[in-house]
Amino acid sequence: MTAIPALNPASPHQLSNTQENLRQYVSAQIRQLSPERPTRSSMARTAIRQESSQTSSKSTRRTNIDTPTNSEPEIVAPYVDDRTKDWVRRTAQPGALVRSNTDDGPVISRLLVTERPENAQENWELRHGYDELYNSAGFLAQLSANYFMYYTEKRHETGGKPRQVDPHNNTSEWRMRDRLKTVSAALVMCLNLGVDPPDVVKTNPTAKMECWIDPAAGIPNNAKTMEQIGKKLQEQYEGLSIRVRYKQYLDPSVEETKKYCTSLRRNAKDERILFHYNGHGVPQPTPSGEIWVFNRHYTQYIPVSLYDLQQWLGAPSLFVFDCSGAGNIIANFDTFKEKHEKEIAEAKKNDPNFQQSSYGDNIQLAACGRNELLPTSPNLPADLFTCCLTTPIDISLQFFLLKHELDVPVYKKDLKKIPGRLAERRSPLGELNWIFTAVTDTIAWNCLPRATFKRLFRQDLMVAALFRNFLLAERIMRSNGCSPCSVPGLPETHNHALWEAWDLTIEGVLKQLPAMIEAEEGGPPYEYQHSDFFTEQLSAFETYLSQGAPSQEAPSQLPVLLQVLLSQVHRLRALILLSRFLDMGAWAVELALTIGIFPYVLKLLQSAAFELKPVMIFIWARILAVDGAVQADLIKDNGYQYFLNILNPSATLPVPNASEHRAMSAFVLSMFCRHFSQGQMVCLSPELIETCTGHLQDTENPLLRQWSCLLISMLWVDYPEAKWVGIRSQAHQKLCEMALDPVPEVRAAALHALTNFLGIPDLTPQVKDYEESVACTIMIMTNDSNSMVRRELLVFFSTFVKRYQNKFLVAAFEQLLEEQRHLTQDEAFANFNPQHGTLSRKPSRLSTDLSVNEGGTRKVSKGSVQGTMWLHILLMSIDPHPEVAQDAMTIMDYVHLRLLESPLGARAQPLMNEIGRLSRKAEAAAARAQPPSRPPSAAPNARRTPGSGSPAPPTLPQNESYLSIGMRRTASMAAALKHLTFGSSSDAAPTSSMPPPREPGLPRRTRVPAEWSKPPDVYDPTSKPSTYVKAKEPKSKGFVETDPSVPPSIPLKSNFFEWSIEVFGPHTSNIRILTLPNQYFGEPQMRPNEPDEPGSGDYNRKLFRRARNEKVLACTQPLKNIAGSSKWDQPNGFFNNGTQPTKMCLHQFEDHLAIADDRDSICIWDWSKSTRLNRFSNGNPTRSRINEVRFINEDDQALLLTGSSDGIVKIFRNYEQEKNIELVAGFRALTDLVPSTKNAGLVLDWQQGQGKLLVAGDVKVIRVWNVATEICTN
């Protein structure tokens, strides 16, 4: 039972009014001093730190590194005494919650802390507690300015694992795998000039012009007029695509139609055919969809069935029907297609070898609906639909002139005098065509489904051009009483808002037309004023970007941005805006690739423009972070050289953060070489290896160091020539020097590269020496506190074990012999006495030289790299982090299985059986000796004497310690761990992290006294062991246990590279404030964190917590003066913990109380409500206990830190949530526990301000762990 007393102040009524005034004043101060919006930095992450506030009698000031100091007006507040008002003014200023700098952690000299006036009072009241640390003015000033948070990096939030890739989410869908092109076109003109069809009554006057030619004017010969019209139509189509083979069919007969169509399909093979049908001189299509042609003598109209037309042309085909009632064709087209498909299915049943034809991929465009007639206005051409499809600029100008009145004299005949050509974008006519393409593309992008847009506007150039112009046709034809239709169907776009921008562009050109005509005719010169359409659209896009796209909606200006890249005038601005858009995440990159941005940025790699290099590097890094399947494109035209040149240190970049852009170049080249042998071959050179190793010395940018390692790694994958180049450059030695790099990601990247260094096919003695020297050097990393680094180290170990498998089999067999001998010795000399309930030991008479085998020969694996590595693998198989332990167990199980299959298997199997029997017997004895947990009802003073009838509790066997107990998870482990721990065995080869081996014959270390395991109050009444219910042990994020039915296999697969490049979705749309390398290229870099973005949910919650914390401090500080002299006799809560509490810790600001019992359980209580929030297991081995419980990061979202007597430290996230609790980190803080009579176990101290964890206990040293770098610094 636990009770929480409360302070009973001497005069509570006197404090109540003061506290209420204080609360009001603090609230007003916090509202006035709410944090400003963080500044942004292009291409780089910026450390946002606030300086501590200076005291002033009438005003409060706040200083930021990017903004000048501004004085705030004095706040009117209720009456508060001067001393309290001065304290509130100094402490109400909220400091920035800054993540820890993984490079070197918080350094006081780097903090921007405003100098304190000499007469300023010390901030002794700033935090709870009376420790000396909290009385230091410098420390309190630092703490008020910067709240460093730890274990909040992406490697901790994600567990160092990439997301599970959705198999249905193919990021390469933007690339049209089935890209088609129109190769042939049949231009069928059924005009029969001079003869009107019988079912058409034309108005007088009526529309006459065909292809902008009036048949009634000029040449009286109808045949020559038809030739001119046909030639003109071909020229109009050639303006859309000149590579298509066009064939004119003027007034064809039914036989000629069949002949021409079958010939086109035969020549086109599987490519698309264009069939343009002009039926202005024949009857309308029949209700069943038949079109009309002529007989040989032009005396009859002959119908052509859609069934026959489909059979002649096949698929894929593109049909354009310019005739009245064209909707009948569209309505019946699918009916005949289904009939063809049924016939093919039946033919396939009868004849499996039947050569089937395709009728599926057909696109149709029709001028009007089923019962509609074409416009007959004399102001419009007769083939209005064809003019819209083939000459959109001419018909747009004429349509605008008919619908609008201008204040300058412009006539229809003047429209042909607009200077320039369509291909010249800087000319008036070319600019109109350029803007028209942008407008129609944008309308289609905003109105069409993505799949339809890609099929119609990105698959085929001819189809894209016709459908752009079809949007214009829908607008013009609808204004003249017709409803164009298409297959696939499109939504209505005739009233889209961008058509007004198109009309404004036309108006701007036509208003300048008289002056341009006059200048061409010899008048005064006139300089054409270009349209500001693109400038305005870019400004609109910039506005969209400034809003942050919270709903991830596609920006409507994206197609305009694509068109702007074609202009040198707007190119740089467009690329910068594009990079900002790509910075929003994977969804933005996929949208940009879908719209067709890739060919443009690929072409720009050939540009020598100096100012484009930084933004081009950024854009390519974003693209490759989403889709790495563009390597073949980079090898074209030597595009990869662009990044090789930038990676060179001698290259200059027009940006201050050149090293970060070189890191991006290293990333691009890494992706270029990944699983792409051609990329490895073209990139490999001694200069590149030396450049990368040179960048490893860049202490300012860990991102560059990380990706330099990974670039070397990608070059070495299955490429022996590259490994020899690295050997000659001593790259493997320089990578080994990164074992103590202050950034965990850099250490993991170096291990990734060294893993790929292994495996040169020709295993010569020289190669063996290189690989073993690398293995010896990096064994020190087994003590790395970062689980991601340890997992990467196990990947190296597994690769090394696979390569030298036979030697590891010998090492494992010898370890089994030693284990069996050790357990046999324990069984021979351990005598269990049930009357006293204790285990006693007799002196050992066997040889203690465990480096000698049973037959008297020395161990083969003694002093070898393989033997030492095997011991490290055994130690890591009981790692506190579950994934590390699981990976090590996989290696160990694999070796044991191969051992049983080897010639040594006949001897190994009996050994394993005997070890299993002895281990189970030892575990049973240990379970009987386990002291049960006391019930909480046992009073502390209810002790019994040894002679009171209760047997004395069992004692710990005197040759074991808290590190060795509970470590017998497998038969081959206990002896190895015991010898590693106590140094009693001489079989371990010396490494940089281990003491030199003990020579045979030296006395063993003194035995562990029985007091080691005595819990507090050992003579208290005990309960039965069955009353203790073990709680669930939290696992790391994303932990998945291996399937025991699946045989283990090695080498282990590393996912570090995938994690480094992983693209996070909107739930991780953030930017690291400090320079950290993890998942850099998949995260936004040009905007603040989500928690630092004003208005976001995280930001509001953080602001609330900060205000709450300051309010708590303001309310509790006055109580410090009376706490020492007042009575603590008011109970604040009673609750039953269920087990005996041994350690308790209160959260500074939350109502959380963490209680550890005398086993391995931790309970989290809400002491204000007397409610238990969670109970979980710390995962302690048998007969070890929890020594320390601390809260860290209390100023924001706290984590729970625990320390156990076996030297293990663990950090938990969401400790108060039963379903969401996660293990953030777990490592062995003390690796060399020694026997002691004090039974200290583990003692630690946490320093939040410096990010230091001081650990001591039953050891001769104090270890200082830097949690920012996650290595032991002292």
Side-chain angles (χ1 to χ4, degrees), residues 361-381:
D361 188 7
N362 286 304
I363 299 173
Q364 301 115 51
L365 299 175
C368 56
R370 302 188 66 170
N371 301 316
E372 295 177 348
L373 299 176
L374 295 178
T376 57
S377 171
N379 296 321
L380 298 172

Side-chain angles (χ1 to χ4, degrees), residues 899-1049:
L899 177 62
L900 294 176
E901 297 170 358
S902 69
L904 292 173
R907 295 189 60 192
Q909 186 63 63
L911 273 176
M912 291 183 178
N913 296 337
E914 179 66 12
I915 290 172
R917 183 187 67 81
L918 296 173
S919 297
R920 287 190 295 271
K921 186 175 181 180
E923 289 173 0
R928 290 193 298 270
Q930 169 70 33
S933 176
R934 288 187 315 171
S937 58
N941 57 357
R943 298 192 179 186
R944 294 174 180 257
T945 62
S948 61
S950 177
T955 59
L956 181 70
Q958 295 186 359
N959 69 335
E960 296 188 1
S961 74
Y962 280 112
L963 182 61
S964 60
I965 56 179
M967 290 185 175
R968 300 175 181 237
R969 295 189 184 179
T970 63
S972 62
M973 197 175 309
L977 295 175
K978 188 186 305 260
H979 302 148
L980 276 177
T981 305
F982 297 106
S984 59
S985 171
S986 58
D987 61 349
T991 63
S992 57
S993 61
M994 298 175 56
R998 194 180 294 272
E999 293 297 328
L1002 292 180
R1004 300 187 64 171
R1005 208 177 278 247
T1006 57
R1007 294 180 296 181
V1008 182
E1011 289 77 7
W1012 258 58
S1013 63
K1014 285 186 179 180
D1017 305 331
V1018 294
Y1019 296 110
D1020 285 356
T1022 60
S1023 60
K1024 295 182 180 179
S1026 59
T1027 61
Y1028 186 85
V1029 180
K1030 189 173 179 66
K1032 182 180 179 181
E1033 182 180 355
K1035 302 298 182 182
S1036 58
K1037 186 179 182 66
F1039 173 72
V1040 178
E1041 292 188 3
T1042 56
D1043 188 355
S1045 62
V1046 178
S1049 63

Side-chain angles (χ1 to χ4, degrees), residues 1105-1113 1149 1194-1196:
R1105 285 191 295 268
R1106 188 176 302 178
R1108 187 269 320 268
N1109 297 350
E1110 300 297 345
K1111 182 178 179 181
V1112 169
L1113 293 174
F1149 306 110
E1194 292 179 271
D1195 288 290
D1196 194 46

Side-chain angles (χ1 to χ4, degrees), residues 426-674:
R426 298 302 295 169
S427 66
L429 192 61
E431 187 180 57
L432 279 175
N433 186 56
W434 187 21
I435 295 175
F436 175 78
T437 303
V439 168
T440 51
D441 254 14
T442 303
I443 293 175
W445 170 257
N446 293 325
C447 298
L448 270 61
R450 292 290 174 261
T452 305
F453 176 83
K454 288 194 295 183
R455 180 189 175 193
L456 300 181
F457 288 83
R458 293 296 181 264
Q459 189 182 56
D460 187 334
L461 293 178
M462 176 63 79
V463 174
L466 287 177
F467 268 91
R468 286 193 200 99
N469 301 341
F470 178 78
L471 300 180
L472 176 67
E474 185 187 20
R475 184 191 188 208
I476 295 178
M477 298 292 287
R478 281 183 179 272
S479 66
N480 288 277
C482 290
S483 302
C485 49
S486 66
V487 175
L490 303 182
E492 293 184 0
T493 59
H494 63 280
N495 55 358
H496 196 277
L498 266 182
W499 288 122
E500 297 181 4
W502 173 237
D503 290 340
L504 183 62
T505 302
I506 294 177
E507 182 181 2
V509 174
L510 294 182
K511 283 186 175 181
Q512 301 180 68
L513 184 57
M516 290 187 292
I517 294 176
E518 185 180 359
E520 288 187 355
E521 292 177 352
Y526 181 79
E527 183 178 355
Y528 174 68
Q529 302 297 319
H530 292 279
S531 172
D532 55 358
F533 171 81
F534 289 110
T535 303
E536 293 175 351
Q537 292 297 314
L538 289 179
S539 299
F541 186 54
E542 192 169 6
T543 302
Y544 164 87
L545 294 175
S546 64
Q547 296 175 353
S551 59
Q552 295 189 4
E553 294 181 358
S556 59
Q557 299 83 13
L558 202 55
V560 178
L561 190 71
L562 183 68
Q563 294 295 322
V564 171
L565 292 179
L566 301 172
S567 169
Q568 293 184 356
V569 177
H570 305 286
R571 182 174 295 163
L572 180 59
R573 183 187 180 193
L575 286 174
I576 293 175
L577 294 178
L578 175 62
S579 65
R580 290 178 56 188
F581 176 66
L582 299 183
D583 189 58
M584 291 185 170
W587 65 273
V589 178
E590 292 174 5
L591 282 178
L593 294 175
T594 302
I595 198 64
I597 211 77
F598 183 76
Y600 295 85
V601 295
L602 180 63
K603 188 67 176 177
L604 285 175
L605 290 180
Q606 308 303 320
S607 172
F610 189 64
E611 66 277 3
L612 297 183
K613 288 185 177 182
V615 67
M616 284 296 296
I617 298 170
F618 187 89
I619 289 173
W620 270 95
R622 287 293 170 182
I623 292 175
L624 282 165
V626 175
D627 189 355
V630 296
Q631 296 141 317
D633 301 280
L634 276 176
I635 211 169
K636 296 176 183 176
D637 302 324
N638 297 328
Y640 65 93
Q641 286 288 350
Y642 192 88
F643 305 100
L644 282 176
N645 296 335
I646 294 173
L647 188 61
N648 194 316
S650 60
T652 57
L653 290 173
V655 288
N657 53 342
S659 61
E660 187 166 336
H661 287 78
R662 290 194 176 93
M664 296 183 193
S665 297
F667 166 75
V668 171
L669 293 172
S670 300
M671 296 297 295
F672 176 60
C673 296
R674 185 188 183 204

Side-chain angles (χ1 to χ4, degrees), residues 1159-1176:
R1159 291 285 186 88
D1160 69 341
S1161 294
I1162 298 174
C1163 292
I1164 306 298
W1165 289 84
D1166 185 335
W1167 58 264
S1168 64
K1169 300 178 181 178
S1170 298
T1171 304
R1172 193 176 75 180
L1173 303 177
N1174 191 14
R1175 178 176 181 264
F1176 59 93

Side-chain angles (χ1 to χ4, degrees), residues 1112-1131:
V1112 169
L1113 293 174
C1115 294
T1116 56
Q1117 295 310 314
L1119 300 179
K1120 279 187 176 181
N1121 298 327
I1122 58 177
S1125 58
S1126 300
K1127 297 181 180 180
W1128 293 76
D1129 56 1
Q1130 292 185 358

